[in-house]
Amino acid sequence: MTTQSISFYERVDGALHDASLKTALSRATERFIGNRAGAIGALSDEAALRDTARAIRAGALSRLDELLAQLATNVESRGGTVCWASDGEEARTYIAELAKARGVRSIVKSKSMASEEIHLNHALEEAGLEVVETDLGEYIIQLAGETPSHIIAPSIHKTREQVSELFHQHLGVPLTDDIQTMTQTARTALRQRFLKADMGISGVNFGVADEGAVVIVENEGNARLSTTVPRIHVAIMGIERIVARMEDLGVMLQVLARSATGQKLSVYTSMISGPARSGEEDGPEEFHLVLLDNGRSKILGGEYAEALLCIRCGACLNACPVYQAIGGHAYGGVYSGPIGAVLTPLLQPDLPEAYMLPQASSLCGACQEVCPVRIAIPDMLLRLRADAVKAGKAHPVEKAAMRGYVMTMNNPAVYRAGGRAARLGSRLIGRKGRIRRLPPPLSGWTHGRDFPTLSGTSFGEWWEEREKKRKEAAQ
Amino acid sequence: MSRDQILSNLRTSLASSRSWLAGEAQGASHDIPPYVLPPADNLADQFTAELRSLSGQVYRVGDDAGAVGQIGAILAEKGASQVIAWDMREIGLAGLPQLLAARGVALAATDIQGGGRHDRLQELEPASICISGVEAGIAESGSLLLRHGPGRPRLASLLAPYHIAVLRSSQLVRGLGDALAQARSRYGDDIFTATSNLTLITGPSRTADIEMTLSLGIHGPQEIHVVLIEQAAAAR
């Protein structure tokens, strides 16, 4: 939330000048990219598996009304309760009131982007409830009072020294640079939270319509504990995260794990259908499924419906040269990277500057290349840019520049004169072939990078000269 | 009501995008082979190699007596006095109850339902070992599929730092798709009738949330020990 108080440009600027962020980002994204490439490359038929994954997701979305109703009916027939939430407010209210009605004091949470999207923790804390994030990365950023910077690795922007300092401050343990020691510190601290919790809140990776089950994928075991130990389990699911049949998981779990972390399968995959049955010694007494719309049903009917195929693997973040340079926080929304630049303007349209995020892309296509369901992200980013211009949201400088560009390109004399002026100017302010600072209104360009000085001659002049010499030599 | 509103919105939206989505859905078959890697010569070898690559332990034994001996060795090494386990009949390993009795290892009371849940959890917490059976072993990924339910508590593969799982080679399948298809053919529409939970376990609990450095045992077991009984292979 702190990230939203300053402008998008300032956040990008801050990120570009943050050396430790740069190190953390390149370390993480390189590792993710390498792991993913290995795991995807090992498949017998990678293309077929991804085609199938896309077909499964598209098929599910094409029947979303029917499948969602089927999922809800099956959950209810297994003894669970379903909350249909049109927006964040309805979801927050339902969960807070449930907690109040059941005398809940303490809540453990496992990672859920949907809950981040609706700022659930804040609402629960306002209601006087104690909420603890239990995924290690989420726990770290909760202690730091920050938001996740990556879908899969929420705390990749933190160094071990910063984590040690946080644990020292909040848990009173000695400083250490040993990561295994820090992990054990978190295990010990969080274990007691689990055992004392009255309610566990989780996200959902896939809802399985035919079984009335939710699937939760993780590596740490915190989601298993959150959904097994407390007497109440609340699962929050974006309504688009559905598959028709349990058998579809044979494809979806494979592409998710391989695309996200390069694992063949994540360490733990829980398939949960309703509360504990009679005779089950553990598991929750109550199971609640919150189906969160929050704009998704509208997106489904528009030209960005394809974005709803996303399975939140994070591969496009890692592959994106812009994400690699600025990290997740700079995007300002809950979802970052290329898919975040698409989703944020759609899911969080009220976020100031959400319309600018589609600009944070070089349109290189790396995101689409790695997407396990082959979402055409660059196309959507281009269309979103056009939408923003049509809505009159383009920056005044950009508008003026575009008008100038049109005029210049339509008028050869202006084009030549402009080129001469630019080359002269570039020689005046450049040093050793670099320009450190362009004058306004172009100064934004050189804020985080140098600009090369222009060549002394234009291509047109060079060509003329070359032709002249050729003719002379021929004579 | 929000249910009707959401479903109505979805229908309105689908009126314009259903045909595109349905077209995309026909872009590929939804049924792929139930495995994703090239074939291996031997499922037990593949399973073993995969799980070991994740720092899991695999012990290959010839019969139940061998399995009990191996579990005895692990109990001794870890100095266990209390285990969180599936009902002995659900594990189905001849000689295991006798081993635990002879070693003086107590079976923790795993029922946490009803009042006093928090107190019973605190009593379970000190146990150092979990013992469970499995529904299937998946060779391609070194995974175990556990079907929980009465007599098969989830905590018996989760709460303690060391998890021992008993797997028979007859339970090995090639890929995840095989394991799901097997569950379907075995239980039909009743996969979740008597249980609320199926869990896939692939190696020990892990995290790389601090500087992308791998660290084991963050919340679940830091060690997983699979005792693989290869009796069926010998009989074939």
Side-chain angles (χ1 to χ4, degrees):
Chain A
M1 280 177 232
T2 50
T3 54
Q4 289 162 29
S5 55
I6 54 171
S7 80
F8 177 56
Y9 286 127
E10 285 171 310
R11 290 194 303 269
V12 169
D13 191 46
L16 290 174
H17 289 94
D18 183 339
S20 76
L21 176 65
K22 227 171 232 179
T23 312
L25 280 170
S26 65
R27 187 189 289 145
T29 54
E30 272 168 35
R31 181 84 59 86
F32 276 132
I33 289 169
N35 290 350
R36 177 199 165 273
I40 292 283
L43 293 168
S44 301
D45 192 343
E46 174 217 339
L49 197 68
R50 287 166 71 191
D51 289 341
T52 300
R54 180 178 173 89
I56 286 172
R57 289 289 297 130
L61 289 185
S62 76
R63 301 194 287 141
L64 187 53
D65 50 344
E66 172 201 333
L67 294 180
L68 210 51
Q70 186 190 8
L71 173 69
T73 304
N74 286 337
V75 166
E76 283 162 354
S77 77
R78 303 290 192 202
T81 310
V82 177
C83 160
W84 297 76
S86 291
D87 54 23
E89 179 59 34
E90 287 186 16
R92 291 190 298 265
T93 306
Y94 178 83
I95 298 169
E97 282 182 359
L98 175 69
K100 206 176 292 172
R102 299 294 190 274
V104 167
R105 277 173 307 182
S106 128
I107 299 174
V108 282
K109 263 189 77 204
S110 65
K111 209 157 100 55
S112 155
M113 293 305 288
S115 79
E116 299 279 350
E117 180 185 320
I118 61 170
H119 304 300
L120 179 64
N121 289 8
H122 185 68
L124 295 176
E125 281 159 9
E126 295 261 286
L129 296 157
E130 184 186 273
V131 188
V132 183
E133 292 286 351
T134 58
D135 171 88
L136 178 60
E138 294 274 349
Y139 181 56
I140 290 167
I141 59 169
Q142 187 185 32
L143 291 181
E146 295 175 9
T147 53
S149 63
H150 189 287
I151 298 179
I152 302 299
S155 66
I156 58 169
H157 58 289
K158 287 262 177 270
T159 63
R160 72 175 74 193
E161 291 78 14
Q162 291 170 319
V163 174
S164 176
E165 181 62 38
L166 280 170
F167 284 3
H168 175 64
Q169 270 175 28
H170 292 268
L171 305 172
V173 293
L175 291 170
T176 173
D177 61 1
D178 180 51
I179 288 173
Q180 184 65 30
T181 305
M182 291 183 227
T183 302
Q184 286 307 311
T185 298
R187 176 184 172 110
T188 308
L190 288 168
R191 182 52 71 94
Q192 279 306 314
R193 302 288 197 146
F194 282 118
L195 300 185
K196 291 174 180 160
D198 305 303
M199 176 186 276
I201 298 179
S202 75
V204 173
N205 293 90
F206 299 104
V208 184
D210 70 346
E211 290 293 342
V214 296
V215 178
I216 303 166
V217 174
E218 51 147 354
N219 282 322
E220 298 188 356
N222 63 311
R224 288 192 70 197
L225 286 166
S226 300
T227 59
T228 297
V229 170
R231 64 190 151 92
I232 303 166
H233 170 203
V234 178
I236 309 174
M237 174 183 148
I239 54 170
E240 84 283 18
R241 306 291 293 276
I242 209 162
V243 293
R245 315 171 300 164
M246 196 183 73
E247 284 77 358
D248 294 335
L249 297 175
V251 175
M252 301 316 299
L253 293 174
Q254 307 261 12
V255 295
L256 175 59
R258 287 169 194 267
S259 302
T261 53
Q263 292 167 278
K264 294 191 176 73
L265 285 176
S266 303
V267 177
Y268 301 116
T269 302
S270 301
M271 298 172 234
I272 298 170
S273 179
R277 303 291 186 278
S278 155
E280 281 196 86
E281 295 148 279
D282 53 25
E285 294 166 5
E286 287 184 44
F287 172 78
H288 298 259
L289 175 60
V290 177
L291 297 172
L292 178 70
D293 183 342
N294 209 28
R296 290 165 170 82
S297 62
K298 290 262 160 56
I299 296 173
L300 184 65
E303 57 175 325
Y304 304 107
E306 190 181 357
L308 297 177
L309 297 175
C310 175
I311 59 171
R312 307 282 191 274
C313 70
C316 63
L317 279 62
N318 302 320
C320 177
V322 175
Y323 180 90
Q324 286 169 16
I326 64 176
H329 284 154
Y331 290 81
V334 170
Y335 303 102
S336 61
I339 193 67
V342 174
L343 288 174
T344 304
L346 300 172
L347 289 174
Q348 298 181 283
D350 299 335
L351 196 70
E353 303 184 323
Y355 72 94
M356 291 171 84
L357 297 179
Q359 304 287 348
S361 166
S362 62
L363 303 176
C364 70
C367 46
Q368 185 171 0
E369 190 120 321
V370 297
C371 177
V373 291
R374 304 188 189 279
I375 299 174
I377 299 175
D379 283 356
M380 283 192 280
L381 290 173
L382 264 179
R383 292 204 299 267
L384 284 162
R385 291 182 185 184
D387 289 353
V389 172
K390 273 181 223 149
K393 284 178 172 166
H395 195 279
V397 172
E398 189 190 328
K399 276 195 239 174
M402 284 300 162
R403 275 197 303 272
Y405 180 77
V406 169
M407 191 190 68
T408 309
M409 297 312 275
N410 280 325
N411 189 331
V414 174
Y415 178 81
R416 277 195 295 273
R420 272 196 297 276
R423 286 196 297 280
L424 177 66
S426 141
R427 267 206 301 282
L428 289 176
I429 59 173
R431 286 275 145 75
K432 295 181 184 160
R434 322 283 317 162
I435 298 172
R436 301 294 299 272
R437 203 165 292 166
L438 281 167
L442 303 172
S443 51
W445 182 270
T446 46
H447 206 74
R449 49 192 165 337
D450 292 347
F451 192 82
T453 53
L454 301 180
S455 162
T457 46
S458 75
F459 176 75
E461 289 165 358
W462 172 81
W463 185 261
E464 243 168 53
E465 187 66 17
R466 179 176 174 276
E467 288 297 291
K468 208 164 81 189
K469 277 191 191 143
R470 217 163 56 94
K471 276 180 199 144
E472 280 168 9
Q475 277 164 6
Chain B
M1 191 193 153
S2 293
R3 176 186 189 274
D4 299 333
Q5 185 59 54
I6 291 171
L7 289 175
S8 152
N9 286 351
L10 287 174
R11 284 180 197 121
T12 308
S13 284
L14 283 171
S16 52
S17 58
R18 198 189 298 267
S19 63
W20 180 78
L21 286 165
E24 290 297 310
Q26 282 161 14
S29 162
H30 292 212
D31 294 302
I32 57 151
Y35 37 79
V36 294
L37 297 178
D41 294 337
N42 178 305
L43 292 185
D45 290 349
Q46 190 181 21
F47 176 88
T48 304
E50 286 300 330
L51 188 51
R52 284 184 181 158
S53 76
L54 300 169
S55 307
Q57 308 289 325
V58 182
Y59 311 91
R60 298 172 67 165
V61 298
D63 55 20
D64 283 24
V68 170
Q70 186 57 55
I71 293 172
I74 301 169
L75 292 174
E77 187 202 319
K78 305 298 181 192
S81 61
Q82 186 188 213
V83 296
I84 304 173
W86 281 16
D87 185 299
M88 288 297 131
R89 284 161 299 188
E90 297 292 334
I91 299 175
L93 181 62
L96 181 58
Q98 293 78 0
L99 170 79
L100 296 177
R103 295 286 179 85
V105 176
L107 284 167
T110 46
D111 191 352
I112 61 167
Q113 304 294 10
R117 190 178 182 106
H118 291 164
D119 294 337
R120 262 168 287 158
L121 283 162
Q122 293 292 352
E123 286 162 23
L124 287 172
E125 171 61 13
S128 57
I129 294 205
C130 287
I131 306 179
S132 78
V134 308
E135 180 78 12
I138 301 172
E140 282 189 343
S141 53
S143 307
L144 302 172
L145 175 64
L146 275 67
R147 185 169 185 268
H148 296 111
R152 300 169 161 220
R154 309 180 199 178
L155 291 177
S157 58
L158 178 60
L159 204 65
Y162 313 112
H163 172 206
I164 301 171
V166 179
L167 169 70
R168 294 179 187 274
S169 53
S170 57
Q171 294 176 303
L172 282 173
V173 296
R174 186 169 158 188
L176 171 62
D178 289 311
L180 296 173
Q182 188 187 69
R184 178 68 79 199
S185 70
R186 197 171 284 169
Y187 303 105
D189 291 335
D190 291 320
I191 294 175
F192 288 102
T193 300
T195 175
S196 58
N197 184 290
L198 259 67
T199 298
L200 284 160
I201 298 177
T202 308
S205 159
R206 65 188 217 164
T207 184
D209 277 348
I210 305 176
E211 293 193 354
M212 295 297 286
T213 303
L214 187 64
S215 183
L216 300 180
I218 166 70
H219 289 300
Q222 72 187 52
E223 292 180 16
I224 183 165
H225 299 262
V226 173
V227 181
L228 172 54
I229 305 168
E230 299 190 83
Q231 206 167 23
R236 224 177 267 152

